[in-house]
Amino acid sequence: MEIFIAEQCKSLAESFILGLIFGAGYDIISIFYSLCGIRSKDGKSRKAVLLFFTGDSLYMLWMTICASLFLYYTNYGQFRLYLAAGCAIGFAVYRKSLSRVVMPVAESIVSLLKRMVRITVIRPLGYMWTLLAVAMVWLVRHTVGALQCFLTGK
């Protein structure tokens, strides 16, 4: 089956764009890692290693499925190496250029959101918990005192 050069160029550009999308998707996973409080893949805890392994493995599986479907619809089920290379180059270009701009901005937004949640949700819950504990202590002291008075007949 013959594929004309114009169609090959169009398919190569589409695979490059797919690689850019894959890079952006990996940045989304990196933002999730940042939300979990894990900054780098040098984490020594089992939780960090397990989170990275699971997240990266599932993302690679998702990328494989998407790339396979792309190749199926673009080339009628035939594998063409230049499309896989275009996808890999698009991913690498995104990671080396756009990701360096997007990730610091995203991490600062995540940091801001964490501070906002801490101030608007966590801190008021802490105050409410302290107030509840003080009220319970007061209630128990007065109830025990009233019971002592009742039982002793004073």
Side-chain angles (χ1 to χ4, degrees):
M1 170 184 241
E2 291 183 26
I3 298 178
F4 296 107
I5 190 74
E7 192 173 333
Q8 289 178 355
C9 289
K10 179 182 148 262
S11 297
L12 181 63
E14 289 172 348
S15 69
F16 182 80
I17 291 170
L18 184 64
L20 292 175
I21 292 169
F22 286 161
Y26 192 75
D27 273 353
I28 291 171
I29 290 176
S30 298
I31 292 169
F32 172 73
Y33 293 153
S34 179
L35 277 172
C36 292
I38 301 170
R39 293 272 179 222
S40 68
K41 293 186 179 184
D42 300 330
K44 299 197 178 13
S45 69
R46 287 186 144 198
K47 176 186 169 189
V49 171
L50 183 65
L51 181 67
F52 280 117
F53 178 75
T54 304
D56 289 354
S57 296
L58 288 174
Y59 188 67
M60 283 188 281
L61 179 65
W62 175 251
M63 284 188 344
T64 302
I65 291 170
C66 289
S68 298
L69 289 172
F70 170 75
L71 288 173
Y72 179 75
Y73 286 116
T74 302
N75 286 316
Y76 313 105
Q78 295 178 354
F79 178 76
R80 302 220 185 255
L81 188 60
Y82 70 94
L83 293 180
C87 191
I89 291 170
F91 183 82
V93 165
Y94 180 86
R95 295 292 295 163
K96 293 295 180 185
S97 61
L98 293 174
S99 181
R100 293 181 184 205
V101 174
V102 170
M103 282 310 292
V105 171
E107 286 182 358
S108 64
I109 290 172
V110 165
S111 175
L112 177 70
L113 288 175
K114 281 183 177 181
R115 274 188 273 151
M116 287 175 55
V117 166
R118 193 178 316 119
I119 290 169
T120 60
V121 176
I122 304 298
R123 192 174 290 164
L125 284 175
Y127 293 145
M128 289 173 52
W129 180 257
T130 303
L131 183 63
L132 182 65
V134 168
M136 290 300 292
V137 167
W138 181 85
L139 186 63
V140 167
R141 283 185 181 167
H142 282 77
T143 304
V144 169
L147 273 172
Q148 283 177 345
C149 289
F150 178 74
L151 292 175
T152 58
K154 292 184 181 178

